[in-house]
């Protein structure tokens, strides 16, 4: 149960408050140790060293220093060492010099065995020496000054002196250790004391309370002293089992980092301690590429990668900052104190570097990527849940915009109360059929013929007026409403297509669907039933999907795609050029039309790079036997260039704005009146030629 968040072995910088405190306690402790050794009765020590009891006590002290009794994994201070009972017993029976000597040797051996840094070992020697000295001073006040040549055995009348010396020992040791932890983690010493004194006090009370009994046994039957190991072992294993359960409840099993539960507790504590004008930073991190590692090399390698990332992140922040794993490839970082947004961005950039630095596992190098979202208290949220939610919003914004790091922006938050209210209104609008389809034509660039109409969803809110699709469609995509919305759009488009086709306007209608909709097994059945109900051929409707569908292999093997192909409903690829797909992969999908994104089309007259990109797409689409459609055509110059490239169709404001069904019907009749059927722009997908 090693804790990767433990950075106590990292040496403090020279000149810092922590460095000064450790140096001061070490120096004072070393002085007290030296004075005690100078006062040591060498003759008495030599005589004591010839007894088996002395060496038994030395062994018990050393063993008691190896593993602490842990009562809580969340406490900032570590456990309590069982050696306390024996060193306090030695103090009572043989005096301060022998107790200090045994304690110092035990701490030194512990440092060597557990590989603690030298500054921790010397500080622990110093603080334990001062605690024993404080206890000895209290005993001296009561006239109790034992030595190897004049050992002391307590009686019933000495309980007050023993209790007060034990309290002095505990207060000095707890104060010094908590002060060091508070300086190391930049916490309030009162907060550290509050979270430590209770559990630590109970353990110290038990150990120090048994020490007088150990002394009595030492004086009367020294051979029985090792029997005290039995109750200590029982206490130790009971506490260890309890602490293990506590650790499992509060930490991630794989990385050892705090989990969401402990992160929530730490965050609320940090918020409670924040003063006016102070900020608390909350970061949410997403690691990109873990799935590929798992799929390629297996989950054991992916687990090692996560452990490595946990180590990197922990050592990329300051002591006292909390690094947690929320599950999967998501981590969170809590900064109890942060200066401002600029400092938060600096920390976030450092964390992202830790995520993106090349990783070498199984003889292979991996270049991963990551996104970091930032939310600050009190700027963005007042509590843990809202900080987590808004850091999540910022993280997804960083992923969408490919910036790597983003600060929370309220105007980009789709989870605001206003948007929640809008979601409810959208549900009611669907139930009441208040949404409407408008239509925009796709026009042949060579002959001006109408080749189809794209259905565009519109919503006029009774209070807020027209709501842009970018505001309400994402709401549906993130909820159960998306399937209902898709069904509504397809039914409305088929109904309008029936009106047109059965009155001589044989124009194909294109409907946008999401990748999730395209893979919905209910989609082919809905289309087949709708086409039969309205007595339409499959060519009357076309489904448009974004090119993200090409980035996964599921689209090429999914039964829904095969069913749509068997049904004869053509597919078009929308917004091509904005993703990372390859045109070669189009050959594996039944796509008859590729729509080039408006961001490239609109700049071909002014940007040679965009001109080359569009020209290349048009040529490749033609070579694959598909039609090309340019979106966002708004000027004659752009339309002429596209026609010269050989682009089949254009769509945009140059030809017509989106129209209501009634206006679109009038527009189509004006354009198609008197035109022979074969020239009305309808060309079956399978007969398409460039």
């Amino acid at each position: 149960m090693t804790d990767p968040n433990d950075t106590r072995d990292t040496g403090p910088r020279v000149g810092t408050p922590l460095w000064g405190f450790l140096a001061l306690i070490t120096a004072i402790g070393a002085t007290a140790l030296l004075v005690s050794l100078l006062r040591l009765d060498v003759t008495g020590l030599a005589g004591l060293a010839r007894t088996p009891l002395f060496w038994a006590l030395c062994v018990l002290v050393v063993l008691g220093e190896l593993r602490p009794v842990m009562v809580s994994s969340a406490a900032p201070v570590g456990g309590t060492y069982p050696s306390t009972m024996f060193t306090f017993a030695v103090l009572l029976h043989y005096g301060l010099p022998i107790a200090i000597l045994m304690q110092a040797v035990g701490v030194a051996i512990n440092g060597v065995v557990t590989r603690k840094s030298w500054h921790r070992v010397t500080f622990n020697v110093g603080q334990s020496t001062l605690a024993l000295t404080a206890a000895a001073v209290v005993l001296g006040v009561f006239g109790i000054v034992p030595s190897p040549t004049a050992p002391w055995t307590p009686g019933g009348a000495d309980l007050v002196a023993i209790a007060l010396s034990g309290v002095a020992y505990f207060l000095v040791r707890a104060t010094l250790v908590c002060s060091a932890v508070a300086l190391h983690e930049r916490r309030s010493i009162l907060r550290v004391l509050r979270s430590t004194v209770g559990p630590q006090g109970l353990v110290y009370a038990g150990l120090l309370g048994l020490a007088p009994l150990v002394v009595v046994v030492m004086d009367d039957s020294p051979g029985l002293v090792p029997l005290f190991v039995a109750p200590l072992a029982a206490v130790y294993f009971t506490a260890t089992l309890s602490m293990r359960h506590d650790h499992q409840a509060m930490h991630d099993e794989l990385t050892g980092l705090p989990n969401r539960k402990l992160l929530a507790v730490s965050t609320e504590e940090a918020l409670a301690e924040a003063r006016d004008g102070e900020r608390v930073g909350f970061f949410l991190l997403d690691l990109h590429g873990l799935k590929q590692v798992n799929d390629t090399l297996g989950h054991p390698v992916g687990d090692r990668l996560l452990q490595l990332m946990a180590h990197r992140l922990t050592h990329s922040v300051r002591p006292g900052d909390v690094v947690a794993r929320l599950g999967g490839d998501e981590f969170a970082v809590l900064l109890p104190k942060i200066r401002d947004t600029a400092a938060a961005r600096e920390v976030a950039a450092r964390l992202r570097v830790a995520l993106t630095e090349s990783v070498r596992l199984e003889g292979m190098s991996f270049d991963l990527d990551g996104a970091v979202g930032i939310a600050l208290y009190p700027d963005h949220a007042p509590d843990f849940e809202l900080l987590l939610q808004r850091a999540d919003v910022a993280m997804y914004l960083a992923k969408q915009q490919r910036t790597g790091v983003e600060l929370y922006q309220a105007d980009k938050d789709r989870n605001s109360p206003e948007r929640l209210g809008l979601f409810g209104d959208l549900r009611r609008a669907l139930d009441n059929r208040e949404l409407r389809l408008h239509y925009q034509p796709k026009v042949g660039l060579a002959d001006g013929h109408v080749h189809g109409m794209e259905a565009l969803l519109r919503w006029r809110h009774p209070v807020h007026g027209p709501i842009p699709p970018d505001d309400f469609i994402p709401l549906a995509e993130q909820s159960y409403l998306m399937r209902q919305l898709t069904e509504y759009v397809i039914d409305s488009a088929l109904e309008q297509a029936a009106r047109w086709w059965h009155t001589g306007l044989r124009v194909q209608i294109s409907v946008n669907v999401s990748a999730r909709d395209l893979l919905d097994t209910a989609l082919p059945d809905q289309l087949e039933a709708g086409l039969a109900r309205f007595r339409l051929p499959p060519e009357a409707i076309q489904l448009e999907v974004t090119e993200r569908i090409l980035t996964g292999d599921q689209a090429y093997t999914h039964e829904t795609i095969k069913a749509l192909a068997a049904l004869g409903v053509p597919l078009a690829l929308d917004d091509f050029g904005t993703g990372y797909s390859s045109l070669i992969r189009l050959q594996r999908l039944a796509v008859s039309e590729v729509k080039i994104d408006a961001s490239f089309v609109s700049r071909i007259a002014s940007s040679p790079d965009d001109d080359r990109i569009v020209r290349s797409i048009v040529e490749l689409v033609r070579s694959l036997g598909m039609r090309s459609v340019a979106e966002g055509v708004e000027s004659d110059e752009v339309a002429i260039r596209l026609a010269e490239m050989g682009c089949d169709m254009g769509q945009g404001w140059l030809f017509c704005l989106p129209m209501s069904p009634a206006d679109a019907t009038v527009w189509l009749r004006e354009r198609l009146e008197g035109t022979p059927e074969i020239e009305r722009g309808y060309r079956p997908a399978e007969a398409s030629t460039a």
Side-chain angles (χ1 to χ4, degrees):
M1 290 185 297
T2 57
D3 181 8
N5 209 27
D6 187 358
T7 57
R8 289 175 295 177
D9 279 317
T10 304
R13 290 198 301 263
V14 177
T16 61
L18 176 60
W19 179 87
F21 178 76
L22 296 181
L24 177 64
I25 299 305
T26 300
I28 297 175
T31 302
L33 176 62
L34 181 61
V35 171
S36 295
L37 292 178
L38 290 175
R39 294 176 54 200
L40 182 63
D41 184 352
V42 179
T43 303
L45 176 62
L48 191 61
R50 287 192 289 270
T51 64
L53 177 61
F54 174 79
W55 295 108
L57 289 169
C58 288
V59 171
L60 291 173
V61 169
V62 170
L63 292 177
E65 277 291 328
L66 295 181
R67 295 291 296 272
V69 176
M70 304 289 293
V71 293
S72 174
S73 62
V77 176
T80 305
Y81 289 92
S83 63
T84 298
M85 182 177 75
F86 298 109
T87 54
F88 196 69
V90 170
L91 171 69
L92 295 176
H93 196 54
Y94 293 127
L96 179 64
I98 301 297
I100 286 180
L101 182 61
M102 283 190 180
Q103 182 74 74
V105 172
V107 171
I109 293 176
N110 168 273
V112 173
V113 173
T114 59
R115 299 182 180 180
K116 285 186 173 68
S117 60
W118 67 267
H119 72 274
R120 288 185 66 186
V121 175
T122 56
F123 172 76
N124 286 335
V125 170
Q127 53 97 356
S128 60
T129 297
L130 293 178
L132 288 169
T133 302
V137 169
V138 174
L139 291 174
V141 171
F142 287 89
I144 304 170
V145 185
S147 67
T149 55
W152 178 71
T153 302
D158 301 312
L159 287 179
V160 174
I162 295 172
L164 291 177
S165 65
V167 170
Y169 177 90
F170 171 68
L171 289 179
V172 170
R173 196 157 192 177
T175 302
L176 295 179
V177 173
C178 289
S179 298
V181 171
L183 290 171
H184 175 69
E185 299 188 355
R186 295 170 290 105
R187 299 187 185 184
S188 164
I189 186 172
L190 293 178
R191 174 186 170 189
V192 177
L193 282 170
R194 281 197 303 269
S195 61
T196 300
V197 168
Q200 292 275 343
L202 291 175
V203 179
Y204 270 107
L207 295 174
L208 296 174
L210 287 174
L213 299 179
V214 176
V215 175
V216 171
V217 175
M218 289 166 59
D219 183 63
D220 186 60
S221 303
L224 299 179
V225 169
L227 293 180
F228 280 97
V229 172
L232 275 183
V235 171
Y236 173 79
F237 285 114
T238 301
T240 300
L241 184 61
S242 174
M243 201 280 294
R244 182 177 289 114
H245 291 159
D246 177 61
H247 189 276
Q248 291 174 348
M250 305 291 277
H251 290 77
D252 174 59
E253 182 178 0
L254 176 64
T255 63
L257 292 174
N259 60 13
R260 176 177 174 141
K261 185 176 181 180
L262 182 53
L263 177 66
V265 172
S266 301
T267 302
E268 294 299 342
E269 289 178 352
L271 299 183
E273 289 190 359
R275 301 174 182 175
D276 291 341
E278 291 184 344
R279 288 184 173 90
V280 176
F282 194 94
F283 302 75
L284 198 62
L285 298 81
D286 182 75
L287 178 65
H288 304 169
L290 178 64
K291 184 180 184 302
Q292 287 78 2
V293 174
N294 286 334
D295 293 345
T296 305
L297 299 178
H299 285 274
V301 177
D303 291 345
R304 286 169 53 197
L305 176 63
L306 287 171
Q307 291 168 343
L308 176 61
M309 289 301 168
H311 179 79
R312 283 186 180 180
L313 293 173
T314 299
H315 290 80
S316 297
V317 295
R318 306 163 299 184
D321 298 337
V322 179
V323 178
R325 182 181 177 223
L326 301 183
D329 52 7
E330 281 194 349
F331 295 86
V333 177
L334 169 69
L335 271 59
K337 291 184 181 179
I338 189 72
R339 187 177 63 254
D340 50 28
T341 56
R345 286 187 176 275
E346 291 177 7
V347 174
R350 191 162 64 244
L351 292 170
R352 185 165 184 263
V353 168
L355 292 177
T356 57
E357 186 178 349
S358 181
V359 178
R360 188 166 184 82
L361 290 173
E362 299 293 318
M364 301 175 62
S365 292
F366 300 94
D367 292 317
L368 306 177
D369 198 2
V372 184
I374 309 169
L376 301 179
Y377 167 88
D379 306 57
H380 304 137
D383 55 38
F384 167 74
E385 291 298 338
L386 273 177
L387 280 171
L388 177 62
Q389 176 188 334
R390 289 174 179 177
D392 186 58
V393 171
M395 182 190 73
Y396 276 98
L397 183 63
K399 290 172 65 175
Q400 290 173 358
Q401 298 186 352
R402 299 185 177 90
T403 56
V405 174
E406 284 293 338
L407 189 69
Y408 173 76
Q409 302 175 44
D411 58 342
K412 299 294 179 64
D413 188 356
R414 295 176 177 174
N415 302 308
S416 63
E418 293 78 9
R419 299 187 75 85
L420 187 61
L422 193 64
F423 176 78
D425 293 341
L426 176 60
R427 184 182 60 215
R428 286 186 290 273
L430 270 173
D431 293 339
N432 298 330
R433 302 186 67 84
E434 295 174 1
L435 301 177
R436 295 289 183 266
L437 291 182
H438 283 205
Y439 299 89
Q440 188 174 39
K442 293 185 289 186
V443 178
L445 294 173
D447 54 17
H449 291 169
V450 179
H451 290 260
M453 303 287 278
E454 180 179 0
L456 302 171
L457 193 60
R458 294 293 183 264
W459 179 23
R460 178 173 290 277
H461 193 279
V463 176
H464 304 297
I467 305 294
D470 289 343
D471 285 351
F472 68 86
I473 291 180
L475 288 177
E477 289 178 338
Q478 297 170 7
S479 71
Y480 61 88
L481 285 182
M482 194 61 212
R483 172 182 281 193
Q484 183 180 350
L485 183 63
T486 301
E487 292 175 353
Y488 175 83
V489 170
I490 290 177
D491 284 344
S492 299
L494 288 173
E495 184 179 357
Q496 183 60 50
R499 293 194 183 101
W500 285 342
W501 279 62
H502 297 322
T503 57
L505 301 176
R506 303 185 65 184
V507 177
Q508 185 183 71
I509 295 181
S510 300
V511 174
N512 288 278
V513 295
S514 67
R516 185 173 64 180
D517 291 326
L518 188 65
L519 302 181
D520 188 345
T521 55
L523 182 62
D525 293 338
Q526 181 194 359
L527 284 168
E528 186 174 15
L531 291 170
R533 184 170 74 252
F534 291 109
R535 296 179 291 112
L536 290 171
E539 299 85 5
I541 191 166
Q542 181 184 58
L543 301 183
E544 293 187 7
V545 292
T546 63
E547 66 170 311
R548 278 180 294 180
I549 191 69
L550 298 179
T551 60
D553 292 330
Q554 188 179 17
Y556 307 102
T557 59
H558 202 279
E559 293 301 321
T560 304
I561 303 297
K562 297 178 181 178
L564 290 173
L567 185 61
V569 174
L571 298 180
L573 205 63
D574 197 15
D575 299 331
F576 191 85
T578 58
Y580 296 98
S581 60
S582 167
L583 274 170
I584 302 303
R585 304 190 74 177
L586 289 173
Q587 293 178 307
R588 297 173 56 196
L589 198 64
V591 173
S592 61
E593 187 174 286
V594 174
K595 303 185 75 174
I596 307 169
D597 189 69
S599 61
F600 299 109
V601 173
S602 61
R603 296 193 298 263
I604 61 173
S606 58
S607 170
D609 290 338
D610 289 321
D611 183 271
R612 283 191 292 269
I613 291 172
V614 173
R615 189 179 300 274
S616 299
I617 294 175
V618 169
E619 292 174 356
L620 284 171
V621 168
R622 183 191 305 118
S623 69
L624 294 174
M626 304 172 188
R627 295 190 298 267
S628 56
V629 182
E631 298 181 292
V633 181
E634 299 179 3
S635 69
D636 289 325
E637 184 180 6
V638 169
I640 293 171
R641 282 179 177 267
L642 289 168
E644 292 172 350
M645 295 177 187
C647 184
D648 296 300
M649 289 172 277
Q651 180 180 346
W653 293 355
L654 175 66
F655 307 109
C656 190
L657 295 174
M659 299 170 286
S660 67
D663 292 340
T665 301
V666 173
W667 187 89
L668 282 173
R669 289 198 179 280
E670 291 177 352
R671 295 293 298 267
L672 301 179
E673 189 69 32
T675 304
E677 182 174 308
I678 194 62
E679 295 180 5
R680 290 182 186 177
Y682 166 62
R683 290 184 294 168
E686 60 272 18
S688 172
T689 57

